[in-house]
Amino acid sequence: TDVDVNRMYHDYGFTSYVLSADQHAGASTLCFLKEALKYQSPKVVFIDVQSMSHGYITDNISAHYSYDFMKDGLNKLQGIQCLRGVNKEELLFRFGRYHARWEEIEKRDFEYLTVNRSNYLNGSLLYMMSIASTVPTAYEETDCTLDEIGYEDTKECLDNVLNFCREKNIECVLFRTPNSYTYAQSKYCDAVENYAKSEGILFWDFNDYHEENGVDFATDFIDGQHMSHIGSGRFSELLGA
């Protein structure tokens, strides 16, 4: 919801796509990326580190969001197999999940197969409302690592994505969008920043720049974590620049 790639194309002329799912596990990022590279050849990949914090753990509903619309294949199989806390059989054979009406199946149940699933917003999701949110506290930076604060799985997932990007000669940039984050989230971002420094890659925590770049917590958010269409436009101008 925070990145409007259409706005960036209009303002700066480069093409991009938002490839993500609601509450997807960090481990899913690698298989999403592998699947994307079957059809596209990006020069730079931006990874929002918030989703990476989930590591390998998710729930069935979130996992369905991630994998139900991915084409069957090795990437999907590997992505599901690495998850924890889910019914993997249900994710692989999802027909039973959605078709309990055995005696009521109608023609319309199959019509979705002919629907054009092209996303005219190129993966962006725009919330056409705004709710005033709390301005984040400027917490003192901490010199911690992901391992030290219990994010060993996240580090492993980041390692896997970074190694794959290096193998494919793709620049990998980590970032965190503006939000009303807590002390725990701030500490997590500090650990990600230290990880990025150790790996020689960029990490942009945009909460560090929200004042100078005009992010307005009265209009730019819907819940303190997700940006409204106003905030998305403002942030996308900043990211594109």
Side-chain angles (χ1 to χ4, degrees):
T1 65
D2 298 346
V3 180
D4 183 354
V5 296
N6 306 284
R7 182 67 169 269
M8 292 195 293
Y9 177 74
H10 178 272
D11 292 346
Y12 302 105
F14 56 78
T15 57
S16 53
Y17 194 92
V18 176
L19 185 59
S20 64
D22 185 38
Q23 295 291 321
H24 85 271
S28 299
T29 302
L30 179 60
C31 69
F32 274 38
L33 181 56
K34 287 181 176 180
E35 189 70 13
L37 262 62
K38 291 167 60 176
Y39 311 99
Q40 303 293 332
S41 301
K43 296 179 180 178
V44 183
V45 170
F46 285 81
I47 305 294
D48 185 345
V49 299
Q50 177 60 26
S51 63
M52 299 299 291
S53 65
H54 299 295
Y56 296 96
I57 300 174
T58 187
D59 58 72
N60 268 25
I61 294 176
S62 298
H64 276 293
Y65 287 148
S66 294
Y67 291 102
D68 280 5
F69 293 98
M70 182 181 288
K71 292 183 178 180
D72 292 334
L74 183 60
N75 292 330
K76 181 174 182 176
L77 177 62
Q78 290 178 338
I80 292 174
Q81 287 298 329
C82 75
L83 297 178
R84 302 171 191 162
V86 300
N87 184 330
K88 297 177 183 179
E89 290 75 18
E90 179 183 297
L91 294 171
L92 290 169
F93 307 103
R94 58 195 181 278
F95 190 80
R97 169 74 178 182
Y98 296 108
H99 293 278
R101 300 178 295 108
W102 298 110
E103 297 181 358
E104 304 174 22
I105 292 179
E106 303 171 0
K107 179 181 177 181
R108 63 185 178 86
D109 290 301
F110 299 92
E111 290 177 345
Y112 79 96
L113 294 171
T114 63
V115 173
N116 182 356
R117 296 194 184 95
S118 299
N119 189 313
Y120 66 92
L121 290 178
N122 294 314
S124 298
L125 175 63
L126 305 180
Y127 284 112
M128 306 305 289
M129 63 181 200
S130 299
I131 298 176
S133 301
T134 305
V135 178
T137 302
Y139 296 107
E140 184 178 350
E141 291 189 11
T142 58
D143 186 20
C144 58
T145 68
L146 289 167
D147 288 336
E148 290 171 348
I149 61 173
Y151 286 94
E152 298 90 345
D153 287 349
T154 295
K155 181 180 182 301
E156 185 174 322
C157 294
L158 284 170
D159 286 342
N160 293 337
V161 170
L162 184 55
N163 290 335
F164 180 75
C165 285
R166 286 169 172 163
E167 177 186 328
K168 299 298 182 181
N169 197 30
I170 300 172
E171 182 180 357
C172 181
V173 177
L174 308 180
F175 76 105
R176 181 68 176 100
T177 58
N179 65 96
S180 300
Y181 63 14
T182 63
Y183 174 71
Q185 291 173 315
S186 174
K187 194 172 182 180
Y188 167 69
C189 285
D190 290 342
V192 172
E193 181 175 9
N194 291 328
Y195 170 84
K197 288 178 180 177
S198 69
E199 294 292 339
I201 61 175
L202 290 174
F203 170 59
W204 293 334
D205 184 351
F206 284 95
N207 262 13
D208 293 341
Y209 317 109
H210 70 85
E211 291 183 352
E212 61 193 81
N213 289 298
V215 175
D216 188 345
F217 282 82
T219 62
D220 291 0
F221 293 84
I222 63 166
D223 59 6
Q225 297 294 321
H226 300 87
M227 304 192 89
S228 66
H229 68 289
I230 300 173
S232 177
R234 201 190 312 273
F235 174 69
S236 298
E237 287 184 5
L238 170 62
L239 184 61

